[in-house]
Amino acid sequence: MTDFDRTRSLFHLPQGVIYLDGNSLGPLPIAAKERVARLLADEWGKLLIRGWNEAGWMTMPRRIGDRIGSLIGAEQGSVVMGDTLSIKVYQALASALELVPDRRVILTDSGNFPSDLYIAQGLIGSLAGGHTLHVVEPEEVDAALDESVAVLMLTEVDYRTGRLHDMSALTQKAHSVGAVTLWDLAHSAGALPVDLAGAKADFAVGCTYKYLNGGPGAPAFVYVSPRHADRVRPALSGWLGHDAPFAFDLDYRPGPGIERMRVGTPPVIALAALDAALDAWNGVDMQALRRQSIALCDLFVGEVEKRCPMLALGSPRDGTKRGSQISFLHDEGYAIMQALVARGVIGDFRAPNAIRFGFTPLYIGEKDVHAAVDILADIMQNRLWDTAKYRQKALVT
Ligand SMILES: *Cc1c(COP(=O)(O)O)cnc(C)c1O
């Protein structure tokens, strides 16, 4: 039994706030605050440069990579931390393309996050090798997988709708036509069970500030299947991915396995916050988390549809076909979300018309869902969103 009352007590949740945006930025774990304070005072403050060895700073990217690996079904020693997700997409995609040198097509879908598409476009430009990015609708991916495809690059859970791809089936299909796969787990890691090894995924990447609660700008992770890890060539060949960084050789020689996906100096303070945040997962059964996530999402959908008929469901109705978030569509979505935030119900807005709510069983329960729907129903039924101040767009939506 997973005790979600216990996990909830591990987070700092401000009074008067119902936080339904953990799919964008997880809340502050109390342990992270303490861990960072200790790191600053005792490690950076007292050890100074000795911290790299004595406090284990240099091995954090691998050690924490393994902790995340256990949440996403990765083999031990196949995940490493560092940089941002966009950079990890670049690195993994470049390495994946090199494994299939005779093909030129990167297949993706229109539900992918724009940064992943932009990174692919930039890489194609740098390679100048005639690669193309083929973008199809999410339902068309399976049919578009043919022997021209070098890399199938998908985000498992659609950031806008929550639609979930079948990682195992699509990976199998990709392999059957000789393509390799790159899965973005930004909205999967910590949101639902993932089995990278079982699915025989080739590459995967993800961020840690969403469902993993690592904090704003927390470092990303990259997974390379042990089948490939000793033969991929990292396009970002920095010194900490070198076989012997402190030999200071003039020529690059990749480190063993996943080590080679490291680039430069690790963000130690951010990694410490993430390391402490991951403690919340001790004793959490991912299957129990999934059941609770589906139950919370189903409850929200049912209540909103009953009380707010002017909102259209923008997510799959079948809980097993979506991640841990729900979107509703409305032309005035931006103003509606601002009105919600003003009342303490925090979700977010994704253009053109989606209001998005994340359901995170670690700290959100049924009571929160009912309280959030009460406020949403009041706002919708009384048109409380219909005021100029809620239409003013902020920099981050
Ligand atoms: C959140 C998200 C990103 C963000 O990338 P950063 O480099 O961390 O800003 C990229 N891709 C997907 C699929 C995401 O959901």
Side-chain angles (χ1 to χ4, degrees):
M1 259 302 279
T2 300
D3 182 355
F4 291 115
D5 289 333
R6 183 193 69 86
T7 57
R8 185 184 174 103
S9 74
L10 303 175
F11 291 89
H12 175 76
L13 298 165
Q15 281 285 319
V17 166
I18 301 172
Y19 195 61
L20 304 181
D21 214 358
N23 50 307
S24 233
L25 175 69
L28 172 66
I30 293 162
K33 202 169 154 182
E34 291 162 359
R35 175 77 177 86
V36 169
R38 205 167 64 239
L39 178 129
L40 296 179
D42 297 345
E43 297 182 14
W44 186 14
K46 292 184 185 147
L47 293 175
L48 296 159
I49 200 158
R50 290 170 293 186
W52 288 110
N53 288 320
E54 292 176 24
W57 294 346
M58 194 48 96
T59 53
M60 283 173 102
R62 275 288 295 284
R63 189 172 59 72
I64 297 171
D66 274 338
R67 296 192 74 184
I68 288 178
S70 68
L71 296 175
I72 54 175
E75 300 88 344
Q76 285 288 293
S78 62
V79 176
V80 76
M81 311 304 302
D83 316 296
T84 71
L85 174 51
S86 301
I87 287 173
K88 275 1 215 180
V89 170
Y90 182 95
Q91 241 190 330
L93 182 58
S95 291
L97 284 171
E98 284 202 14
L99 290 180
V100 200
D102 52 333
R103 298 188 187 182
R104 293 286 172 273
V105 175
I106 302 162
L107 177 63
T108 189
D109 73 11
S110 57
N112 207 340
F113 190 74
S115 196
D116 298 39
L117 306 179
Y118 304 159
I119 287 286
Q121 290 160 5
L123 176 61
I124 287 170
S126 302
L127 290 174
H131 293 88
T132 57
L133 181 65
H134 186 37
V135 185
V136 300
E137 292 305 304
E139 309 72 42
E140 295 167 353
V141 170
D142 184 87
L145 263 173
D146 62 26
E147 294 188 352
S148 69
V149 177
V151 177
L152 173 64
M153 177 182 86
L154 292 174
T155 295
E156 190 189 19
V157 176
D158 186 309
Y159 72 104
R160 248 182 320 220
T161 65
R163 177 208 31 74
L164 175 67
H165 273 306
D166 186 336
M167 180 190 292
S168 177
L170 286 172
T171 299
Q172 199 177 353
K173 174 86 185 274
H175 290 169
S176 76
V177 297
V180 300
T181 54
L182 165 52
W183 288 98
D184 190 325
L185 303 178
H187 294 276
S188 308
L192 66 158
V194 177
D195 185 7
L196 287 175
K200 298 199 161 53
D202 300 284
F203 295 85
V205 293
C207 55
T208 59
Y209 48 80
K210 293 172 179 162
Y211 293 90
L212 296 174
N213 314 306
F221 63 85
V222 58
Y223 163 85
V224 181
S225 163
R227 298 190 302 280
H228 307 308
D230 280 318
R231 72 191 172 103
V232 297
R233 205 187 63 87
L236 297 174
S237 43
W239 73 303
L240 288 184
H242 191 279
D243 191 37
F246 287 87
F248 299 106
D249 288 341
L250 295 187
D251 289 314
Y252 182 75
R253 192 173 73 243
I258 195 69
E259 282 284 335
R260 66 187 59 188
M261 300 308 263
R262 291 177 64 162
V263 183
T265 303
V268 171
I269 300 171
L271 282 167
L274 173 61
D275 196 20
L278 293 173
D279 289 349
W281 295 95
N282 294 340
V284 172
D285 169 14
M286 289 308 280
Q287 302 296 338
L289 180 99
R290 178 67 170 151
R291 281 194 300 276
Q292 180 70 354
S293 146
I294 290 175
L296 293 174
C297 288
D298 282 348
L299 176 66
F300 183 72
V301 170
E303 290 296 305
V304 172
E305 289 193 322
K306 206 157 54 192
R307 297 173 64 185
C308 309
M310 59 299 265
L311 293 174
L313 181 63
S315 298
R317 191 169 293 282
D318 177 349
T320 65
K321 298 269 190 323
R322 58 177 191 237
S324 201
Q325 65 190 63
I326 295 292
S327 293
F328 277 95
L329 310 179
H330 192 288
D331 287 344
E332 292 286 350
Y334 185 79
I336 294 166
M337 184 49 71
Q338 294 315 298
L340 277 166
V341 171
R343 297 276 296 274
V345 178
I346 302 184
D348 58 21
F349 171 76
R350 284 294 173 264
N353 62 348
I355 49 175
R356 192 172 69 151
F357 304 89
F359 294 90
T360 46
L362 288 193
Y363 51 85
I364 290 294
E366 272 182 32
K367 255 202 264 176
D368 301 306
V369 174
H370 286 294
V373 176
D374 284 346
I375 292 171
L376 177 59
D378 184 31
I379 287 168
M380 295 312 300
Q381 286 159 13
N382 299 305
R383 292 181 70 92
L384 301 180
W385 51 265
D386 196 0
T387 144
K389 76 175 172 189
Y390 293 146
R391 291 203 180 87
Q392 267 181 20
K393 288 254 165 89
L395 185 60
V396 176
T397 65

